[in-house]
Structure formats: structure tokens, C-alpha cells
Amino acid sequence: MNTAWLGLVFGACCACTSLGVMAQPARHPTENPVELKTGKELLRGDAKETTDAARPGTPPAADTSFPKGPLGDLLRAHLLSMVGVGTDAEQKFQDAENAYQASLRGLREKGPEVVKLLANAYARTPEDHYFRRWALVETLRELHSPEAAATLARIATSAIPAERYKGDVERSSVDEELQIRVNAVEALGELAGKSKTAETPLLELAKSPHIGIQRAAIRGYLATATAPEERRSRSARLERLIPAERRSLISLETTDVKSVPHPDMPEKFTIEKRRKPEGEPPRANPKR
């Protein structure tokens, strides 16, 4: 599945997330209207969503994150494919998914050089361009390349900057930063069986005070066990690292929603309108 489509609901994840990347209200509504972000605008950066440079109809700024040339062009096109921009944008989802997967195959064939360019692009991306940073991490993850482990580890273990939007009830920069790191930790878990560089940081991340990061690290560390005895040994090691109140995360198991029994649903629902009994006093706070 094209997990990049989850970027469209980027803020709603298990790590205490705020959402609204696709349609973010301006922080000063009296001065700037609410604007719906397009895929290109999200990838350009969402920090100044109410400035002229990000308004619909404004020519997009040139993407200089990647060098000129075939590989840079391939990476630029891939980021656009993550948000459905391109020849398949107006077609059904499966066509967009096929285009995305074809783009990934093309990147995987290019080898370690792709990892290097993505790492450099991430380092040059402004801190408050959260969606673009997430997209770069997602691309590193989807490469399934052990060469990406060191970059992912640096991102996952990096300090979370102080809250940029204090007093703003609509969004939190800390939540956005957590999303990026949780994605990097999950990527490390997927690579841990192939790379010690990916596995080693998971133990440290398992002690994170942020439950989303901690949960992803524990899950990734345990997933590398190839036998029940090894899993028990890894679980015991985690128990020595994790406070008692969080140790339930070690035995936490996930279930595919498709395997969960669902109740039989009636073909038609009948909703009976409740009549107000005679003599019933009026409500104290009637709905307006």
C-alpha cells in the first residue's frame, strides 16, 4: 500500500498528534483566510501557508533540494507522486498507487546515491516544513535499504525542538516533530533484521518519554527476534530498561483489522423519532 497517502492526514498518529495539515487554519484568522493546501504547496513547505508565495495560483518555487540531473529529477517527481501530482492525479486511486510504486522501483534501482541525496535534502529542509521532512523520511523508509539506517537513526534520536506555536490550540510543532521521528523509528524497526546500525538505536529509543516513539522502538526491537527464546530474552532486556508503568508496551500486540470479527449489519436501519411526553418540562439549556 502507498503509505505516503497517510501524509494527507499527517497529524493523526499514535504519538499525541494534532491534525490539519491539508487544511490548516491561519494562526491570525482576522488577517488571513483559511486555505486548502495542494500537494505541491505542502511539499514546498507549510510554514508560511498564508503568504503570497503559498497562495493557490502562485507559480511554485523551483525545488533546489536535489541536484540537477536525471536522479534529481527522479526524486522531485517521486515526491510529487506521493501526493497524487502528475499524469495520474485525475485518475482513480489504483492508477496513482501504481505510479507511486513504479517510482519507488526506479529509486531502489539507483542504489546508495539516492539515500545520500535524500539525507542531504532533509538536512537542508527548513525545520518548520514538516510535511516535506516527513515525505523525505517516508521515502528513505520505502527504499528498504540498510544504507538508510544511519540517516534514519540520526533523525529518530535527534532532540525535539521547543514548541513553536505556544498558545495555538490548532496546532503543535512538537506533535509534528513526533510524527517525523515515529516514522523514522518504524523504518529502523523494519531494517533492524538487516542492519546493526538500525537495531542499536532501538534500545535507546525504547526509553523515550514520548510514548509513540517508545512504542515503535519496542515493537521494532522485538520484531527482529527469530525464535521464541530470543523474543523472551529481548523482552527481559526491555523490562530492565522501561519503567513499570510502561512495561505493558512490551507485551502489546497488534491485530489486523481485517481479522477482527465484525457484527452482522442490518440492510436497513430504522430510527424512531422520540416524541416529547405531554407535560415534560422544557430543557434548562435548549439547543439553539
Side-chain angles (χ1 to χ4, degrees):
M1 178 182 177
N2 176 359
T3 55
W5 291 102
L6 298 179
L8 301 181
V9 286
F10 173 67
C13 175
C14 59
C16 327
T17 3
S18 65
L19 205 116
V21 171
M22 284 304 292
Q24 296 172 358
R27 292 168 58 203
H28 304 290
T30 58
E31 300 176 6
N32 298 297
V34 175
E35 295 176 359
L36 182 65
K37 305 303 293 174
T38 67
K40 286 184 179 179
E41 289 169 337
L42 283 170
L43 288 169
R44 288 210 304 273
D46 58 6
K48 299 180 177 64
E49 66 259 25
T50 57
T51 64
D52 291 339
R55 292 188 182 282
T58 303
D63 184 350
T64 58
S65 300
F66 305 111
K68 294 181 180 179
L71 189 51
D73 292 342
L74 192 63
L75 283 164
R76 276 184 282 271
H78 177 74
L79 290 187
L80 291 177
S81 77
M82 296 177 75
V83 289
V85 177
T87 56
D88 295 284
E90 300 300 326
Q91 299 179 24
K92 58 184 180 180
F93 165 77
Q94 192 58 51
D95 289 338
E97 174 69 8
N98 291 339
Y100 174 79
Q101 294 298 335
S103 179
L104 273 177
R105 288 191 294 271
L107 290 178
R108 289 169 185 152
E109 292 171 357
K110 301 302 180 182
E113 185 63 20
V114 174
V115 173
K116 180 180 178 181
L117 293 182
L118 286 167
N120 290 340
Y122 185 91
R124 291 197 301 268
T125 300
E127 179 184 293
D128 51 2
H129 289 201
Y130 301 113
F131 183 82
R132 185 176 181 85
R133 289 169 58 208
W134 179 91
L136 292 168
V137 172
E138 178 68 11
T139 304
L140 284 166
R141 177 180 182 174
E142 290 276 41
L143 292 177
H144 303 152
S145 170
E147 284 81 6
T151 298
L152 290 166
R154 282 196 299 272
I155 295 170
T157 57
S158 61
I160 296 177
E163 178 61 60
R164 298 174 66 95
Y165 308 120
K166 293 180 180 179
D168 187 340
V169 298
E170 299 293 338
R171 116 183 263 205
S172 165
S173 65
V174 170
D175 288 347
E176 305 279 17
E177 295 287 352
L178 285 171
Q179 291 308 299
I180 294 167
R181 285 159 181 77
V182 167
N183 201 18
V185 176
E186 289 176 346
L188 289 173
E190 293 166 2
L191 292 173
K194 307 175 186 177
S195 168
K196 276 291 181 185
T197 305
E199 181 178 341
T200 302
L202 293 175
L203 272 177
E204 187 64 28
L205 290 163
K207 297 185 291 183
S208 172
H210 302 287
I211 194 168
I213 291 176
Q214 186 178 43
R215 179 171 50 214
I218 291 171
R219 187 178 299 168
Y221 182 71
L222 292 176
T224 59
T226 57
E229 296 80 7
E230 184 181 2
R231 185 178 178 88
R232 285 193 290 270
S233 174
R234 285 174 176 263
S235 296
R237 188 172 185 181
L238 288 169
E239 287 178 357
R240 294 193 293 270
L241 294 174
I242 298 173
E245 63 271 17
R246 291 258 183 112
R247 287 177 189 161
S248 60
L249 294 174
I250 299 173
S251 57
L252 182 68
E253 295 183 359
T254 58
T255 303
D256 188 338
V257 67
K258 295 179 182 178
S259 67
V260 176
H262 288 67
D264 294 331
M265 303 298 288
E267 293 183 4
K268 183 178 180 181
F269 289 91
T270 301
I271 301 176
E272 297 182 0
K273 185 176 181 181
R274 179 179 178 272
R275 293 185 177 181
K276 178 181 175 181
E278 293 184 9
E280 181 178 310
R283 297 179 180 177
N285 296 305
K287 293 182 179 180
R288 297 183 184 275

